[in-house]
Amino acid sequence: MAQDTQQAELSRHILELKRKHGAVILVHLYQRPEIQDLGDFVGDSLGLSRQAAASDAGVIVFCGVHFMAESAAILSPDKIVLLPELRAGCPMADMVTAEDLIAKKRELPGVPVVCYVNSSAAVKAESDICCTSRNAVQVVDSVPGDTVLFVPDRNLANYIGTKTNKKVIAWDGFCATHDNITAAEVLRARREHPDALVMVHPECRPEVVALADHVLSTSGMLRLARGSAAREFIVGTEQGILHQLTRQNPEKVFHLPNSKKQYCPNMKKTTLPKLAWALERLEPRITVPEPVRVRAATALERMLAISGKRAGND
Ligand code: 13P
Ligand code: SF4
């Protein structure tokens, strides 16, 4: 109870600071419930990029991981972009560096590079276009030629390869949170909940994706759960999404194939005290050197032009 009161006081303090600075709080669906509850917008990577591009707030507080705040800074260079916990990185994004990508491009002259938004600004700057899990197939289909190099997620690359006529050359990166979900765990969950629909994120392994009824981005999962007549779902992504799934569908039941593994430690690094600290000091700020920013912005803007700039989750 004392902890609840403390959380409520801290949340009120954060909202006062937000108003004082004219800030907007953007929150990814894997964040802690108490952080999601403070978001002006809670969504997937595409929705958050759109919000960052469209927002007229002077301060954007990004509750997510580093590449997400960096994308906001790339798209809105005149705004203050805060990442409450600077060490909240994405290990998969770190699996490709700009130097390695430049070397690979030399081996594959003329092959367009599509980079998952889970990548650094420097990698985006070396890429032709970005994508998120929601628009990846649409983006790959939009680039010229019959082959693309896709970085850094091998599982998403594999999934796109099953949905496009193009050859998708995959970088060997992966997200441990998703890659650790096994087919055996999904099959067991199906046996235990035979009426449940299985929805998984395309960062899961091919054999897990093959078992799914639906392969969706995080916001796609929310849309499916709201619109479907099904009452039970098996959810193959990070457990933070259960906060919105259960809030939006109190009468439905959501199961995780392995709740211990379906946890992104980096997403959980943002806490109420850190968010308050960031808004009190307007630090830590995320900035991108201008020559890199300009090139990375081209890759992100191309994606937004293809999949729609409209702010929101649809
Ligand atoms: P979404 O774009 O589906 O939100 O995914 C982001 C992410 O980091 C998945 O691990
Ligand atoms: Fe990165 Fe995976 Fe965490 Fe998403 S869930 S931020 S891909 S480590």
Side-chain angles (χ1 to χ4, degrees):
M1 195 59 188
Q3 203 195 353
D4 282 358
T5 314
Q6 214 180 9
Q7 276 204 357
E9 271 171 24
L10 211 40
S11 298
R12 261 195 305 278
H13 178 52
I14 288 165
L15 291 175
E16 271 164 28
L17 288 166
K18 186 188 87 148
R19 273 191 290 277
K20 176 177 151 198
H21 294 299
V24 64
I25 301 180
L26 303 185
V27 181
H28 190 266
L29 285 157
Y30 297 161
Q31 291 282 296
R32 294 170 184 271
E34 64 272 23
I35 300 289
Q36 293 191 32
D37 290 346
L38 290 175
D40 293 294
F41 177 84
V42 185
D44 71 351
S45 302
L46 181 63
L48 292 167
S49 294
R50 285 174 175 162
Q51 290 288 332
S55 169
D56 49 19
V59 178
I60 297 175
V61 190
F62 219 112
C63 300
V65 290
H66 191 273
F67 75 81
M68 296 179 173
E70 214 176 36
S71 295
I74 291 166
L75 291 166
S76 301
D78 49 335
K79 294 182 186 143
I80 294 174
V81 178
L82 305 176
L83 181 65
E85 169 53 72
L86 258 189
R87 289 166 303 173
C90 169
M92 175 167 69
D94 296 336
M95 289 179 188
V96 57
T97 65
E99 293 68 31
D100 290 345
L101 179 53
I102 290 167
K104 190 72 182 171
K105 284 192 329 184
R106 280 200 202 102
E107 287 172 29
L108 299 166
V111 174
V113 179
V114 179
C115 82
Y116 194 23
V117 73
N118 300 40
S119 55
S120 67
V123 164
K124 289 183 176 77
E126 291 302 327
S127 303
D128 294 282
I129 187 165
C130 289
C131 73
T132 72
S133 59
R134 188 158 26 135
N135 59 21
V137 176
Q138 189 189 8
V139 166
V140 166
D141 279 339
S142 77
V143 298
D146 57 7
T147 306
V148 299
L149 170 62
F150 189 87
V151 298
D153 186 12
R154 65 183 182 212
N155 290 335
L156 180 56
N158 179 82
Y159 173 68
I160 299 164
T162 66
K163 298 281 167 194
T164 179
N165 292 326
K166 291 184 198 283
K167 179 178 175 195
V168 183
I169 302 171
W171 199 265
D172 196 19
F174 62 93
C175 160
T177 304
H178 288 87
D179 197 65
N180 280 341
I181 302 170
T182 66
E185 288 160 354
V186 175
L187 286 169
R188 190 182 57 219
R190 251 204 204 285
R191 275 196 304 278
E192 287 170 4
H193 313 288
D195 296 330
L197 275 185
V198 177
M199 52 185 184
V200 309
H201 198 276
E203 287 178 17
C204 292
R205 293 180 196 183
E207 62 270 25
V208 169
V209 165
L211 292 171
D213 299 305
H214 298 274
V215 182
L216 296 164
S217 80
T218 50
S219 69
M221 292 184 189
L222 288 183
R223 253 190 319 280
L224 177 75
R226 279 196 306 267
S228 165
R231 319 269 315 160
E232 277 187 77
F233 299 83
I234 293 163
V235 183
T237 194
E238 212 273 351
Q239 58 183 266
I241 195 172
L242 261 58
H243 183 55
Q244 297 299 328
L245 283 171
T246 49
R247 206 160 96 154
Q248 295 178 11
N249 309 279
E251 74 293 1
K252 298 188 178 182
V253 187
F254 300 92
H255 309 282
L256 297 171
N258 188 330
S259 58
K260 285 199 186 76
K261 292 183 193 166
Q262 291 173 251
Y263 183 85
C264 174
N266 284 287
M267 282 285 182
K268 302 300 191 257
K269 283 181 180 159
T270 307
T271 59
L272 288 177
K274 285 179 195 166
L275 179 51
W277 194 95
L279 271 163
E280 279 159 6
R281 293 166 178 76
L282 294 184
E283 293 284 349
R285 296 185 191 191
I286 302 298
T287 55
V288 179
E290 192 58 11
V292 175
R293 190 198 70 76
V294 170
R295 295 173 66 211
T298 303
L300 275 169
E301 292 283 3
R302 283 182 183 148
M303 170 188 85
L304 292 174
I306 283 169
S307 57
K309 275 195 179 185
R310 194 165 66 83
N313 241 346
D314 292 305

